[in-house]
Amino acid sequence: MTAAVVATAFGGPEVLSLVEIPISEPGPEEVLIKVEAIGTNPIDYKLFSGSFGSEPEKLPMRLGFEAAGKVIGLGADAVGPGGPLQIGDEVIAYRITGAYAAEVLVSASNVLPKPTTLTFAEASGLMLTGTTAVHALTTVGAISGDTVLVHGASGGVGLMVVQLALIAGARVIGTASNGRHAYLKQLGVEPVAYGDGLLERIVALAPEGIDAAIDAVGTDEAIDVSLALVANRDRITTIAAYSRGPAEGIKLLGMAAGADPGIEIRETARMQLVQQAEEGGLHVLVARTYPLAEAAVALIELASGHTHGKIVLVP
């Protein structure tokens, strides 16, 4: 048995419970992981809120797509994307289901080596935001020499987008509240405050124009400014403006209806992210950690939209 968080109904965080569930021994191509840290993401609470459907057969619902921990059991043919696995290996599990748990049993194909440069808490938040960022940058065709505008640059996905864009040789302008500008500047981003006058501030900063825009917040302001600054709508994408994006001819990314899930791009990106983090080129900012038993409190904070970095659960 192991402790796990499940949603017993559709609704708010009050539907979450910490329960004991059975866990099997690993099969031939499976890995048993003792979870040290769990990355939380907005998709987690959107799923049990009913945003993507409220079919009763989905309940009780296990939560969480990414975790970091240590291998404590494995099948004879357990080979991950980084090679054969061994007991004691420090790993990242992604993309999995039911990551909100003390132990997880997963396919070896979803077990990656943890970069030695990252703590377990940091590693648990690398993959979902990182693969989303790679997907977004690939979609807009960001290349060296481009000027890329990132809305929500200090959020979980935004921080990955700006780092990867900079690694690719792009100039990055990122919107964020004033209190987060100092950290963005450390990364090499040129921050601008959102709110009234945003368009004018960006034009003053980049009078030669913006080549591509990535929206990670979903506000009308972000979409309006992107449309005003980027002539080619193929070079604008959003992971949040699901209702307005299609009407504007902007490509949607993610799990919502009509969005591109980018499965192949994201799978391929996993080992790239591990390598870039191992080389010291990628950092994961952890905003706060919560015990697994306080998953509901953690998700309330995450849903507030005011977090700077990743919210992490610790069993």
Side-chain angles (χ1 to χ4, degrees):
M1 303 290 285
T2 191
V5 173
V6 300
T8 56
F10 290 98
E14 71 279 357
V15 305
L16 300 183
S17 296
L18 183 66
V19 299
E20 290 289 319
I21 61 168
I23 191 160
S24 306
E25 291 297 315
E29 298 179 356
E30 292 182 321
V31 181
L32 182 62
I33 298 170
K34 179 184 181 294
V35 175
E36 300 288 346
I38 302 146
T40 69
N41 296 282
I43 186 65
D44 300 344
Y45 61 76
K46 289 178 182 178
L47 285 171
F48 69 78
S49 74
S51 295
F52 297 123
S54 54
E55 295 83 355
E57 59 269 22
K58 293 181 179 178
L59 300 172
M61 181 186 294
R62 296 283 303 276
L63 303 175
F65 294 106
E66 60 181 342
K70 296 178 182 178
V71 175
I72 56 173
L74 72 171
D77 302 317
V79 178
L85 295 159
Q86 299 180 12
I87 300 294
D89 282 352
E90 298 185 349
V91 295
I92 297 171
Y94 178 80
R95 183 175 183 211
I96 64 172
T97 56
Y100 285 26
E103 295 179 2
V104 291
L105 181 65
V106 300
S107 167
S109 63
N110 293 325
V111 179
L112 307 134
K114 181 184 81 67
T116 59
T117 54
L118 301 182
T119 65
F120 282 112
E122 292 165 342
S124 74
L126 173 65
M127 282 294 152
L128 195 148
T129 55
T131 57
T132 301
V134 171
H135 188 193
L137 289 163
T138 302
T139 297
V140 300
I143 59 173
S144 180
D146 278 346
T147 298
V148 178
L149 172 63
V150 181
H151 296 282
S154 66
V157 172
L159 285 170
M160 278 292 149
V161 172
V162 300
Q163 290 180 81
L164 290 167
L166 289 164
I167 289 171
R171 176 190 181 191
V172 180
I173 296 173
T175 70
S177 60
N178 285 316
R180 299 173 182 177
H181 287 193
Y183 183 73
L184 290 172
K185 287 178 180 178
Q186 288 178 28
L187 295 176
V189 178
E190 298 171 59
V192 290
Y194 52 75
D196 290 345
L198 175 60
L199 177 61
E200 291 74 18
R201 288 191 291 277
I202 295 172
V203 170
L205 194 58
E208 69 283 3
I210 300 294
D211 298 296
I214 295 171
D215 165 42
V217 291
T219 61
D220 283 336
E221 175 189 65
I223 299 301
D224 289 342
V225 168
S226 297
L227 292 171
L229 292 172
V230 182
N232 183 354
R233 295 193 179 188
D234 287 341
R235 303 204 72 190
I236 306 173
T237 194
T238 180
I239 65 165
Y242 291 138
S243 58
R244 186 173 172 194
E248 302 290 358
I250 297 171
K251 193 164 188 177
L252 309 181
L253 307 183
M255 293 178 62
D260 173 20
I263 295 171
E264 186 174 339
I265 292 173
R266 295 183 187 221
E267 277 201 10
T268 303
R270 295 180 304 170
M271 283 304 296
Q272 169 195 330
L273 293 165
V274 168
Q275 182 178 351
Q276 288 173 318
E278 188 65 56
E279 293 170 351
L282 277 183
H283 306 276
V284 179
L285 179 64
V286 175
R288 189 168 176 182
T289 62
Y290 287 88
L292 183 61
E294 296 182 17
V297 179
L299 291 178
I300 289 171
E301 180 173 351
L302 182 64
S304 74
H306 300 303
T307 58
H308 179 36
K310 295 290 295 188
I311 301 291
V312 173
L313 299 176
V314 179

